[in-house]
Amino acid sequence: MSRLKRELYRDPSRGKIAGVCAGLSDYFNMELWLVRILFITAVLLSGGPLFIVVYVACWFILDKREVTPNRSSDAKDEDKVSVKFKVWQKGEPPRQALYDLKDRLSRLDGRIQNMERYVTSPEFTVSREIDKL
């Protein structure tokens, strides 16, 4: 696994209150629902006011996640298929990832067949001969 510089931020677009749990799930590469359950469990079973104060402090301290206009989170997810190997990790189950890759490859195969059909057609030959003139 490549070591990329990870930053802790909050993601209000995926968050319920301020996006702190969403930022933590991205930072630790965990499912969002699991981070929320862990936080609620920590509030209920141990120092409740302490965790709530830490959450509010993170709300004010952490920067919002910047979404660039040309590369939104939807486009990033479409380009990349991430497979999770453990239940708590982020990503798709292996079976779903295999299905998505098969679908992507079948679409690419259809595009290649269309290009081959055009290149071997008489229309392409005539067009190429006209361009040579």
Side-chain angles (χ1 to χ4, degrees):
M1 176 187 272
S2 65
R3 296 194 180 239
L4 299 174
K5 181 180 176 185
R6 296 185 302 177
E7 290 188 30
L8 186 57
Y9 55 84
R10 57 187 186 92
D11 191 359
S13 64
R14 289 182 30 218
K16 295 287 183 189
I17 297 174
V20 174
C21 289
L24 287 172
S25 75
D26 286 343
Y27 185 78
F28 291 112
N29 194 23
M30 296 174 70
E31 290 284 345
L32 181 56
W33 61 268
L34 182 62
V35 174
R36 287 179 179 152
I37 288 175
L38 288 174
F39 179 75
I40 291 171
T41 304
V43 167
L44 294 176
L45 295 180
S46 57
L50 174 69
F51 283 101
I52 292 173
V53 168
V54 169
Y55 188 90
V56 171
C58 288
W59 185 350
F60 290 113
I61 293 171
L62 295 178
D63 294 330
K64 286 184 182 179
R65 178 180 182 190
E66 295 178 11
V67 178
T68 55
N70 60 353
R71 184 98 177 163
S72 66
S73 61
D74 296 336
K76 181 173 63 172
D77 292 340
E78 189 176 310
D79 293 344
K80 179 181 168 188
V81 174
S82 61
V83 180
K84 65 178 175 181
F85 297 103
K86 296 186 172 99
V87 174
W88 52 267
Q89 282 181 331
K90 224 194 237 187
E92 293 181 313
R95 189 173 296 223
Q96 181 65 35
L98 183 63
Y99 176 76
D100 290 345
L101 288 173
K102 182 180 175 186
D103 182 51
R104 187 182 297 172
L105 288 175
S106 67
R107 283 186 280 143
L108 286 174
D109 186 42
R111 290 178 61 192
I112 290 172
Q113 287 178 3
N114 288 339
M115 287 190 305
E116 287 176 346
R117 199 173 302 124
Y118 175 71
V119 169
T120 57
S121 71
E123 177 185 342
F124 177 75
T125 308
V126 169
S127 175
R128 190 176 59 181
E129 292 297 326
I130 290 175
D131 288 340
K132 283 183 181 179
L133 294 177

